[in-house]
Amino acid sequence: MEEGIFKTIKSFLFSNLNKQFLVFMFFLFLSAIFWLIITLNETFEKELKIPVTVSNIPKNVVLTSTPMDTLRVTVRDKGWMMFSYMYSENRPMLKVNFKNYDRGNGGGAASNSELKRLLEQVLESSSKVISIKPEKFDFFYNNGERKRVPVRWAGRVIPEQLYFISHVTYSHDSVEVYASKEKLDSIHVVYSEPLNYVGFRDTLTVTCKLSHASDVKVVPERIGISFHTDVLTEESISVPIQCINLPDGKVLRTFPAKIKVHFVAGVSRIRTLKPEDFSVIADYQEITQNPSDKCTLYLQKIPEGISRATLSSKQVDYLIEEE
């Protein structure tokens, strides 16, 4: 059986039609090789992304700018060399020596001509640098000055209708900020990059970068933020009416003694609420200064997590008695 299969394959491969096909494929492959050799021997201009970093940083210095950046360098050379730059494991990398380019005032810079000179040292001698973007490389540092500031989210985060964000938690509620003393004095909070999430109902957890100026370093650079949701519902609770500014020997009685407070909150928040979490008052001084058949009520205290709180009635009957 194996011999029969072998004969079938042999006859298929060495049939007259397949011989012509194999010869065609051979010459097609050969022509492709010649085309590739000719093409790679031509001169090309290509924009390369070359990483640049600051080297030889003193121990007492903390870089506040990004420790590694990328230059977009347009290079002219033969196709062979371009292929090597783009796909070789040992791609060129630029190192800017801190001591050579430190300005001594919390920052340093390598000009366009200096970058070109450094690039010529890491590129092959046949390569010609046509342009460099950005035109210069800046870095910033301090001598360890820092402070801890809180983190807040920024952007557009809106759950589905009938849901609301009950609370927000952070993997890091504060971060270390490194910058010049003047900058540190002006930074009181660090915000996330603008977020944009709409139409969710379950807890949303995102990992995002923190926004900061190029000469400011934030540790950590990325944090996790969780937006916890709850279902909005309308509820009411009966709260005792209290009187303020009442002189000794006087008693203010209101009819009714309790008033309903209507509000909107999440289901989980409603379960924890008690009447003493609210405060509804009547002011004795206001009553005596503006005598009337009814006294005005004020909602003085509202617990966190409550919105659109209103009284079922803003005025009630009252009676002032002597003790």
Side-chain angles (χ1 to χ4, degrees):
M1 183 177 178
E2 290 181 1
E3 186 177 348
I5 294 172
F6 178 75
K7 285 182 179 180
T8 303
I9 295 173
K10 183 178 179 182
S11 63
F12 173 77
L13 290 175
F14 292 98
S15 65
N16 187 49
L17 181 61
N18 282 306
K19 281 181 181 179
Q20 294 178 15
F21 176 74
L22 290 173
V23 170
F24 170 76
M25 291 301 296
F26 172 75
F27 283 104
L28 180 63
F29 176 75
L30 198 61
S31 62
I33 293 295
F34 280 118
W35 174 83
L36 183 61
I37 292 172
I38 293 170
T39 301
L40 291 178
N41 202 42
E42 293 180 359
T43 300
F44 293 90
E45 283 189 11
K46 182 71 176 177
E47 185 179 87
L48 305 175
K49 292 182 178 180
I50 298 180
V52 56
T53 186
V54 181
S55 63
N56 297 324
I57 303 171
K59 291 183 178 180
N60 64 328
V61 167
V62 177
L63 276 186
T64 56
S65 54
T66 305
M68 181 176 289
D69 210 335
T70 302
L71 294 177
R72 302 193 311 279
V73 183
T74 302
V75 177
R76 180 187 298 158
D77 207 339
K78 298 287 187 183
W80 293 102
M81 194 54 62
M82 290 298 184
F83 186 86
S84 174
Y85 288 148
M86 294 170 64
Y87 301 108
S88 171
E89 292 184 1
N90 298 318
R91 298 181 188 180
M93 178 176 177
L94 198 63
K95 292 185 178 181
V96 175
N97 192 306
F98 180 91
K99 294 180 180 178
N100 294 342
Y101 299 98
D102 175 27
R103 295 195 302 257
N105 58 348
S111 66
N112 188 272
S113 59
E114 291 166 332
L115 288 174
K116 187 174 182 180
R117 180 178 58 81
L118 292 173
L119 283 166
E120 289 171 348
Q121 296 175 7
V122 298
L123 298 175
E124 295 297 328
S125 57
S126 60
S127 300
K128 182 176 178 59
V129 177
I130 305 302
S131 66
I132 304 172
K133 298 177 183 178
E135 293 190 349
K136 68 173 182 174
F137 174 71
D138 294 302
F139 61 90
F140 303 93
Y141 67 90
N142 71 8
N143 296 106
E145 294 90 349
R146 62 181 180 178
K147 77 175 185 180
R148 196 161 193 87
V149 298
V151 174
R152 296 290 181 267
W153 68 274
R156 183 168 173 259
V157 181
I158 305 172
E160 278 188 10
Q161 193 174 5
L162 301 181
Y163 285 79
F164 79 111
I165 297 171
S166 58
H167 64 286
V168 179
T169 57
Y170 300 86
S171 61
H172 298 78
D173 58 3
S174 60
V175 291
E176 294 285 349
V177 177
Y178 296 80
S180 64
K181 187 178 183 308
E182 294 75 15
K183 281 269 183 173
L184 285 176
D185 290 342
S186 66
I187 298 174
H188 304 290
V189 64
V190 173
Y191 290 96
S192 72
E193 62 184 351
L195 304 177
N196 187 19
Y197 296 93
V198 178
F200 60 94
R201 61 171 61 183
D202 297 322
T203 298
L204 172 68
T205 300
V206 298
T207 300
C208 61
K209 291 182 179 180
L210 296 175
S211 297
H212 57 86
S214 59
D215 57 348
V216 174
K217 180 179 181 179
V218 174
V219 180
E221 286 265 347
R222 302 176 69 90
I223 64 166
I225 306 177
S226 294
F227 297 90
H228 302 268
T229 59
D230 202 350
V231 181
L232 276 175
T233 185
E234 293 186 3
E235 189 57 85
S236 63
I237 190 169
S238 293
V239 178
I241 300 172
Q242 301 172 343
C243 184
I244 62 172
N245 299 320
L246 191 67
D248 293 338
K250 298 284 187 180
V251 175
L252 176 69
R253 301 190 188 279
T254 60
F255 306 95
K258 295 182 178 181
I259 194 76
K260 280 192 175 183
V261 179
H262 301 283
F263 57 88
V264 174
V267 173
S268 58
R269 183 70 180 102
I270 289 173
R271 294 194 190 104
T272 65
L273 291 175
K274 302 182 292 294
E276 52 265 32
D277 295 329
F278 298 82
S279 176
V280 178
I281 62 153
D283 189 346
Y284 178 83
Q285 287 186 356
E286 181 182 308
I287 293 171
T288 55
Q289 291 173 3
N290 302 287
S292 174
D293 293 338
K294 296 181 180 293
C295 64
T296 303
L297 302 180
Y298 299 95
L299 188 54
Q300 189 180 51
K301 185 180 76 171
I302 304 170
E304 292 184 3
I306 299 299
S307 62
R308 302 207 294 271
T310 58
L311 297 172
S312 60
S313 177
K314 292 185 178 181
Q315 291 187 322
V316 293
D317 295 324
Y318 70 95
L319 180 65
I320 298 175
E321 298 179 343
E322 299 284 346
E323 282 189 330

